[in-house]
Amino acid sequence: MNSLLWLIPAIPGLGAAVNGLFGRHLGKRASAAIACGSVAASFLLALGFFFTRFLAEGGASARVEQSLFEWIPSMGVEWAYRLDSLSMVMTLVVTGIGLLIHIYSVGYMSHDGGFSRFFAYLNLFTFFMLNLVLGANMLLLFIGWEGVGLCSYLLIGFWFERPAAAQAGKKAFIVNRIGDAGFILAVFLTFVTFGTLDFYGVMGEIASADMQGGVLTAIGVLLFVGAAGKSAQIPLYVWLPDAMEGPTPVSALIHAATMVTAGVYMVARSGVLFSHAPAALALVATVGALTAIFAATIALFQTDIKKVLAYSTVSQLGYMFLGAGVGAFAAAIFHLMTHAFFKACLFLGSGSVIHAMEHAEHASGGHRHYTEMQDMRNMGGLLRHMPRTGWTFIVATIAIAGIPPLAGFFSKDEILWKTFEHGHFVLWGIAAAAAVMTAFYMSRQVIMTFLGDFRGGAAMEKHLHESAPSMTVPLVILAAGSVVAGFVGVPSALGGSYRLHTFLEPAIYAGGQAPPAMPHNYALEYALMALSVALAAAGIWFAWRRYRNAPTRDASLAGSGAYRLLLNKYYVDEIYDATAVNGTLRGGEGLYRLDQRVVDGAVNGSARVTMLSADLSDLSDRNVVDRAVNLVAEILGAASTRFRRLQSGLFQSYALLMLLAVVLLAGALVLWS
Amino acid sequence: MSDALASLGRFLPELLLMGALAVVIVADLATQAWSLARSRNLLVGLTLAGLGAAFVASLGEPGGGSLFASMIADDGLLGVLRPLFALTAIFTLLFSLRAKELDGARMGEMVALLLTVTAALMWMAGSVNLVMIYLSLETVSVASYIMVGYRSSDRLSNEASLKYILFGAVSTGVMLFGLSLLYGLTGTLDLYGVRAALAAEDAGPALILVLLLVAGGIGFKIAAVPFHFWCPDVYTGASTPVTAFLSVGPKAAGFAVLIRFFYSGIAQPGADGTFAAVGGVDWQGLIIVLAVVTMTLGNVAALLQTNMKRLLAYSSIAHAGTILIGAAALSSEGIGAIVTYLVIYLFMNLGAFLVVILVHRVTGTFELEGYAGFWKRSPLLTVAMGIFLFSLMGIPPFAGFFAKLYVFAAAVEAELGWLAVVGVLNSAVAAFYYIKVLRIMAVDPGDGELPALRFSRLDGALLLALVTPNVVGILFGGALEQISEIAQRLLDLA
């Protein structure tokens, strides 16, 4: 069975190839069957591994390894996959939730012209994502990392006829370049330090030599720069909200459930390294907590149904990093898993709503812009028209708000508790405040979308109806997951045994030692648990009081500065544009102009030199020089003004410049020696 | 005499090229009366056969040892670069069949020049003698000047050719002066003799002058800042197949000379594959400065270009800077990284130029705005361009990633981590302008309803031949390292 491991990523890869090359000739039905079938096959294989190898006694420390070939011999890197408890959980999330989203997409994209292209991208994404989680070394993880990024840009810009979508794809690409630069530098630094890139090898060496700080901090910080790019943390989060321009299943799969959590996975995968670099860990925790509350405040007053969810995702990713940052890597992965269920459910639910809205708009003869169809101010009362979408959305909302016994309660509460337990009271306070806001903005969203009366016009309301079963069945399954997924990690305080925890630890601390458990303080834990439930309930209650009878009352806040600040996302995009983006472009332009001006200046200078030397030299020499110059001048005069810059390329100026450069280089060389 | 005869046997690729040259010259004269298409087909066929034979003959293990009384090293470096030059020439020849600029042109001189320059590139890459270096470099240059000015009725082409000649004359003249000084200092023309002389006795400040003058000549060939000024103008003025050729062939040969001169002439191998400067001048700093300046200026200037050929010119300058990082590493690993880069660069850069040629064929423009709306006209071409550009960016899973990986790894290994950081940041900047091209192709609407594109079989085959290595290259780290390992076997290290 071990030798079948490579098939888990390979099958979706094959699906992508088939759909990409022959999709147009296959027809929609075959395209969909190939795409969904390949992910289903991977999911079944993953389940097979799970049941045969990991569920048995001592399965937590089971390892399935397969090296396909020697990949980069000089660095001792193999193309090798490794399935341990951590990658097992990730693989199940990626293929399981991925499968549901594939199935959902069949209905959602059924009328799109790029149907087979869409599924080719989606399968390709799954292929790279599985390389990312199964890669046994940093370099293979990096290949997956960049591959999912590539698919993400392609899918954000899938509807590239919309300028906003093209712009968003470009933004995601550029912002991620910054993060990826950090990652690849971390890879180099790791290789130089340890001579290997295999995760187990690196972590084992750190643990056995009991290294502390120093280079580990540097590697940790660089890795986190990469993670902050991919997982949308401050200051690199700006691309994720814009990424919502992609089709909604993409938002659910890539920008909520899987790809954006890759950073969290990578930090957990390097758990031993981070445990030995407290400074880097503190950075992770702080950035995580700040992102959690920062994004939550922005989500408070957004009106676009997907934008709320996007900022919510950024905020929840912040929670995961907070968990990892306080050393509770397993709790971070736990939240990653539960979040995959309820956030995928919420996104697909919003997709179902948008689908219904757009359909009704078309059916009633309207032609409003697509952003209007995603505006919650035009919705309301949809629960009556689409009960399955509505109720699953409500279940997922309760889960994310943290109401027991739904999944979000267990995972979020564990992060809060670990933060407090490790003595990070300020971070705990921030995270608790963000929890209130989460409950508030999610409830606001449910009220504005599903309760009250429909605000989009009577003509449109007649045409509202529930989406097709291919879309609602995945919703129901995901909602069920949002209810029960938390039970794998019930804390001992509630009579559980942290099962997911014990399952993950052998992988997270592979080669090293898990830190000793803290002494139980159940009284405190109960108190905090009660408090966080109370906070969640308070958030819901605030939203209910505020919006129940006046869903669009935020309009009256338009005069408030704070409201405008939040609605405009703290103007961060504008600030980045004004500083970083413009700065780079202007600096570049300045340098380029300087380059050109030096050339121009040199032209004049060298002309004088030429004349002088012509006077001094004999006639024939002068003729040669003059002729060359005249010839150039003639050509210059004749060419169009568009080539003015090009014309400044007189050879004398070049020669002079070269001389100048040689002098400068000589100086550098002397100084260096 | 017997040495010369024995050498001839190991000189087969070059001899084949010279033979083909003689044949095409005669064929060109004999077919003056034929129709253009007919003579063109014959000449191209003959040239292709010559280049193909040279390519095949150049495969296989290099012999080791030197040829023609220590003029040319028949070592691993030459062994790897010979087929690379032949392949570049083959692509160039096939490109020229599809380039609109060369429609209706007689091909006699073009193919003769191509054969000459290819042979000269091989001499250049093998030269281990100061005079041989100069002669081969000058042969490449003279043939290149004529190729640039091939469209004698075109003003831009003439202007470019003139600039190239003037600047090239200055550069090679400067380099010749440097080489003569070096001869004066050491009393030998043989590179290994130079090394021995310098190792025995420091040459003092005069060597600094020599290094700068020679760096000028080499910098001109690889288009390194500040010897790059000719590059954008010449790339724009030359016909696109010639531009494509210049951006790969002479650049690769320039790097070979750089390795020969710096690593074999003024440095000696130390323990575990490192090199140490001899003669009392630590020239590593020179290469580092050149690398940083070249990368940065190339990338920054490329950001603002609106003409595709100029953009690719600055991009090729930036790539030269990145490759120089490998040269700064002062290690066998660095040599391997340079050659690996050059091999991958051949496929990604020629690929990008092929798309430029095909686009120009239908739009008649090299301006970026002419690329608008290509997704609608030809998704295939857009995807292919995407692959080439992503590869040029160095983003996995495309082969360009390996190119950068090995160069940066060599720098890190040589404790030049900060230089790798500069390189990585530069790659991030480069993403801006490459992605801009893609955005224009995929997103910007073209002018009105343009017809879908149809490609000839040759176009399809060329695209396939260039796309495939970029896509599957990521799986062939082992094979690349074999090439790299062979290239590291310099004459004295075999």
Side-chain angles (χ1 to χ4, degrees):
Chain A
M1 174 114 188
N2 285 10
S3 56
L4 297 181
L5 183 56
W6 67 281
L7 285 173
I8 295 182
I11 299 173
L14 189 69
V18 172
N19 259 333
L21 295 174
F22 313 110
R24 282 165 186 236
H25 312 292
L26 285 173
K28 287 187 175 175
R29 189 176 293 236
S31 264
I34 289 166
C36 298
S38 63
V39 179
S42 286
F43 180 54
L44 290 177
L45 255 173
L47 277 181
F49 276 107
F50 181 64
F51 283 117
T52 57
R53 303 298 304 274
F54 288 86
L55 219 49
E57 187 72 22
S61 37
R63 266 150 214 185
V64 182
E65 303 194 357
Q66 186 181 23
S67 172
L68 296 184
F69 55 90
E70 201 170 37
W71 183 27
I72 304 177
S74 65
M75 299 172 97
V77 176
E78 296 181 335
W79 194 288
Y81 295 122
R82 179 183 291 134
L83 190 62
D84 60 10
S85 55
L86 178 57
S87 39
M88 187 74 247
V89 171
M90 291 299 292
T91 305
L92 287 174
V93 169
V94 172
T95 53
I97 297 199
L99 175 61
L100 292 175
I101 295 172
H102 271 74
I103 294 170
Y104 175 97
S105 306
V106 177
Y108 192 85
M109 301 298 289
S110 57
H111 300 299
D112 199 286
F115 190 82
S116 63
R117 179 164 63 95
F118 180 81
F119 278 103
Y121 290 165
L122 223 51
N123 263 1
L124 192 65
F125 167 81
T126 312
F127 166 74
F128 282 121
M129 191 69 205
L130 288 167
N131 271 291
L132 194 160
V133 299
L134 289 172
N137 55 64
M138 282 174 106
L139 218 48
L140 192 50
L141 189 152
F142 186 66
I143 299 287
W145 183 274
E146 293 282 10
V148 291
L150 193 68
C151 297
S152 157
Y153 323 132
L154 292 173
L155 283 163
I156 294 170
F158 186 76
W159 287 320
F160 49 70
E161 316 84 71
R162 302 177 177 178
Q167 187 58 32
K170 193 175 139 195
K171 185 167 172 184
F173 183 78
I174 300 284
V175 172
N176 270 293
R177 300 311 310 142
I178 301 168
D180 295 346
F183 192 160
I184 193 71
L185 291 175
V187 172
F188 282 125
L189 197 52
T190 306
F191 183 72
V192 174
T193 313
F194 301 100
T196 176
L197 288 174
D198 185 280
F199 280 108
Y200 279 13
V202 172
M203 301 308 153
E205 207 157 313
I206 293 171
S208 61
D210 197 20
M211 303 167 69
Q212 288 293 335
V215 68
L216 298 187
T217 307
I219 296 175
V221 169
L222 286 171
L223 282 178
F224 183 61
V225 171
K230 190 115 298 186
S231 298
Q233 296 296 289
I234 292 173
L236 300 179
Y237 71 91
V238 286
W239 65 272
L240 183 57
D242 288 27
M244 298 302 132
E245 288 295 333
T248 305
V250 171
S251 311
L253 178 63
I254 300 182
H255 305 120
T258 55
M259 183 191 81
V260 290
T261 62
V264 182
Y265 165 76
M266 188 246 279
V267 172
R269 176 54 81 202
S270 317
V272 175
L273 187 147
F274 276 97
S275 311
H276 286 75
L281 212 52
L283 177 73
V284 174
T286 311
V287 171
L290 290 178
T291 307
I293 191 147
F294 185 75
T297 56
I298 297 178
L300 289 177
F301 296 115
Q302 294 302 313
T303 53
D304 183 302
I305 188 169
K306 286 180 76 181
K307 281 279 158 72
V308 176
L309 294 175
Y311 282 103
S312 163
T313 303
V314 175
S315 170
Q316 297 298 310
L317 289 165
Y319 273 108
M320 295 174 209
F321 280 108
L322 173 62
V326 299
F329 301 105
I333 296 294
F334 183 24
H335 195 54
L336 184 163
M337 187 198 84
T338 60
H339 177 257
F341 280 103
F342 51 71
K343 191 51 71 62
C345 184
L346 290 169
F347 263 118
L348 295 187
S350 77
S352 176
V353 166
I354 295 166
H355 203 68
M357 290 285 288
E358 285 183 340
H359 180 81
E361 174 79 355
H362 285 304
S364 63
H367 294 288
R368 278 180 289 179
H369 195 247
Y370 70 92
T371 48
E372 297 273 305
M373 296 297 99
Q374 301 182 187
D375 193 324
M376 294 190 294
R377 287 171 297 191
N378 295 331
M379 298 176 186
L382 291 178
L383 187 60
R384 254 172 304 175
H385 300 287
M386 25 195 343
R388 263 165 289 175
T389 303
W391 282 112
T392 51
F393 201 94
I394 290 170
V395 168
T397 298
I398 300 174
I400 193 176
I403 301 294
L406 275 68
F409 164 74
F410 293 104
S411 56
K412 189 190 286 183
D413 200 62
E414 188 176 340
I415 290 174
L416 284 169
W417 166 240
K418 293 286 177 192
T419 308
F420 195 89
E421 193 185 24
H422 286 82
H424 305 284
F425 304 122
V426 175
L427 297 182
W428 177 85
I430 293 174
V436 186
M437 293 180 194
T438 308
F440 176 84
Y441 66 69
M442 286 309 304
S443 307
R444 170 178 175 269
Q445 181 166 39
V446 168
I447 294 165
M448 286 182 80
T449 311
F450 291 104
L451 307 184
D453 294 319
F454 185 67
R455 294 180 292 278
M460 207 178 144
E461 186 166 11
K462 283 202 298 273
H463 297 282
L464 287 170
H465 58 75
E466 183 60 279
S467 299
S470 71
M471 288 164 71
T472 51
V473 170
L475 284 177
V476 172
I477 298 173
L478 287 168
S482 310
V483 176
V484 300
F487 293 122
V488 299
V490 180
S492 51
L494 293 180
S497 59
Y498 286 116
R499 280 178 67 186
L500 188 70
H501 238 92
T502 23
F503 183 66
L504 287 174
E505 256 170 12
I508 291 174
Y509 296 106
Q513 278 285 315
M518 297 224 174
H520 291 299
N521 185 347
Y522 283 149
L524 187 61
E525 200 173 338
Y526 287 136
L528 287 178
M529 212 176 271
L531 181 60
S532 73
V533 175
L535 288 174
I540 296 174
W541 184 71
F542 281 142
W544 180 263
R545 283 241 343 223
R546 184 170 165 76
Y547 298 105
R548 179 69 193 97
N549 295 315
T552 55
R553 65 183 294 174
D554 290 339
S556 64
L557 291 175
S560 146
Y563 172 75
R564 278 207 309 273
L565 187 67
L566 293 181
L567 195 65
N568 289 301
K569 308 142 194 169
Y570 295 101
Y571 298 100
V572 170
D573 279 323
E574 286 78 3
I575 294 170
Y576 280 7
D577 272 347
T579 55
V581 177
N582 266 352
T584 309
L585 284 180
R586 264 208 216 119
E589 203 173 321
L591 220 89
Y592 183 61
R593 298 257 174 273
L594 188 75
D595 199 44
Q596 299 301 318
R597 194 156 302 161
V598 170
V599 174
D600 285 343
V603 172
N604 296 335
S606 64
R608 260 175 237 137
V609 176
T610 312
M611 283 169 69
L612 194 70
S613 68
D615 282 342
L616 296 176
S617 58
D618 67 28
L619 199 70
S620 67
D621 260 0
R622 213 188 308 155
N623 274 346
V624 171
V625 175
D626 283 357
R627 251 185 223 158
V629 174
N630 285 345
L631 186 60
V632 175
E634 262 176 51
I635 294 163
L636 295 189
S640 70
T641 44
R642 216 173 51 183
F643 289 101
R644 177 161 294 153
R645 268 185 224 152
L646 182 145
Q647 290 160 4
S648 65
L650 284 166
F651 112 93
Q652 290 97 328
S653 67
Y654 288 161
L656 197 75
L657 262 182
M658 203 175 120
L659 195 72
L660 218 111
V662 166
V663 172
L664 286 179
L665 280 174
L669 197 59
V670 170
L671 284 178
W672 207 284
S673 302
Chain B
M1 189 63 199
S2 64
D3 170 61
L5 283 179
S7 298
L8 280 178
R10 286 149 64 190
F11 207 51
L12 191 58
E14 288 88 342
L15 288 179
L16 285 168
L17 291 173
M18 292 294 93
L21 176 62
V23 171
V24 296
I25 288 174
V26 173
D28 185 33
L29 290 173
T31 61
Q32 290 288 331
W34 290 18
S35 76
L36 193 74
R38 227 175 125 206
S39 83
R40 202 172 152 129
N41 285 345
L42 177 76
L43 290 172
V44 169
L46 288 172
T47 315
L48 211 51
L51 289 169
F55 177 75
V56 172
S58 63
L59 294 175
E61 288 282 301
S66 62
L67 309 181
F68 303 112
S70 303
M71 283 286 162
I72 287 176
D74 184 21
D75 60 1
L77 184 59
L78 180 63
V80 171
L81 289 179
R82 264 177 177 163
L84 184 142
F85 295 138
L87 202 58
T88 311
I90 290 173
F91 275 119
T92 307
L93 184 65
L94 296 175
F95 284 7
S96 65
L97 292 177
R98 300 296 298 151
K100 198 177 177 189
E101 302 130 297
L102 296 174
D103 277 355
R106 282 199 72 87
M107 294 297 280
E109 285 116 28
M110 182 56 108
V111 293
L113 285 166
L114 192 63
L115 288 166
T116 312
V117 81
T118 307
L121 287 174
M122 293 180 182
W123 299 330
M124 197 170 144
S127 301
V128 285
N129 180 292
L130 299 183
V131 170
M132 191 66 208
I133 288 177
Y134 175 72
L135 282 177
S136 56
L137 198 135
E138 201 65 310
T139 314
V140 169
S141 296
V142 171
S144 308
Y145 304 149
I146 312 175
M147 281 168 86
V148 169
Y150 194 72
R151 292 173 300 145
S152 49
S153 58
D154 182 287
R155 270 225 167 93
L156 219 50
S157 175
N158 279 326
E159 182 191 348
S161 179
L162 182 66
K163 271 180 193 154
Y164 201 21
I165 292 171
L166 292 173
F167 194 72
V170 174
S171 302
T172 41
V174 158
M175 182 172 180
L176 185 61
F177 183 46
L179 294 178
S180 68
L181 274 179
L182 189 60
Y183 176 63
L185 286 172
T186 59
T188 173
L189 288 170
D190 181 69
L191 268 185
Y192 290 97
V194 167
R195 170 199 279 172
L198 289 177
E201 192 184 0
D202 279 1
L207 188 59
I208 294 185
L209 190 60
V210 170
L211 289 182
L212 291 171
L213 297 174
V214 174
I218 297 175
F220 163 72
K221 269 277 158 266
I222 63 176
V225 176
F227 313 102
H228 69 289
F229 295 101
W230 59 275
C231 179
D233 296 358
V234 169
Y235 277 27
T236 320
S239 60
T240 318
V242 173
T243 308
F245 183 77
L246 290 183
S247 74
V248 176
K251 199 184 278 272
F255 274 103
V257 170
L258 187 143
I259 292 170
R260 299 272 185 219
F261 184 81
F262 280 90
Y263 282 55
S264 298
I266 48 175
Q268 56 186 3
D272 45 289
T274 60
F275 288 79
V278 294
V281 180
D282 182 12
W283 46 264
Q284 192 184 26
L286 174 73
I287 309 271
I288 291 175
V289 171
L290 283 178
V292 172
V293 176
T294 305
M295 266 189 298
T296 312
L297 198 124
N299 278 325
V300 167
L303 286 177
L304 302 155
Q305 301 308 318
T306 54
N307 177 299
M308 194 63 197
K309 279 168 96 175
R310 281 186 91 82
L311 188 145
L312 285 176
Y314 281 109
S315 141
S316 91
I317 292 173
H319 280 279
T322 314
I323 305 176
L324 278 170
I325 294 181
L330 271 178
S331 63
S332 287
E333 224 177 51
I335 299 176
I338 293 172
V339 174
T340 310
Y341 204 117
L342 291 171
V343 170
I344 297 171
Y345 181 70
L346 182 155
F347 292 104
M348 52 195 193
N349 212 42
L350 288 186
F353 273 111
L354 174 61
V355 176
V356 173
I357 289 171
L358 294 179
V359 168
H360 179 248
R361 206 164 177 87
V362 290
T363 64
T365 178
F366 295 113
E367 296 298 315
L368 271 179
E369 65 229 27
Y371 284 71
F374 259 82
W375 172 260
K376 291 235 173 62
R377 307 186 66 182
S378 170
L380 185 79
L381 198 66
T382 313
V383 169
M385 189 59 159
I387 289 168
F388 298 136
L389 293 180
F390 276 117
S391 204
L392 283 166
M393 280 181 233
I395 291 180
F398 302 106
F401 170 65
F402 266 154
K404 294 227 161 70
L405 178 78
Y406 283 113
V407 165
F408 295 151
V412 170
E413 198 79 346
E415 297 185 354
L416 289 172
W418 68 271
L419 192 55
V421 173
V422 175
V424 169
L425 293 179
N426 255 292
S427 315
V429 173
F432 263 104
Y433 58 84
Y434 290 124
I435 202 81
K436 182 172 84 178
V437 177
L438 268 185
R439 203 208 61 217
I440 290 172
M441 287 185 88
V443 180
D444 286 7
D447 299 337
E449 283 300 302
L450 293 162
L453 296 185
R454 303 200 67 84
F455 295 115
S456 71
R457 267 194 207 151
L458 177 59
D459 297 336
L462 282 172
L463 278 174
L464 190 67
L466 289 165
V467 162
T468 312
N470 283 299
V471 174
V472 302
I474 199 74
L475 298 172
F476 292 92
L480 271 176
E481 285 194 10
Q482 260 172 8
I483 294 175
S484 149
E485 195 269 325
I486 294 173
Q488 292 171 31
R489 279 188 243 147
L490 295 184
L491 186 55
D492 57 323
L493 299 172

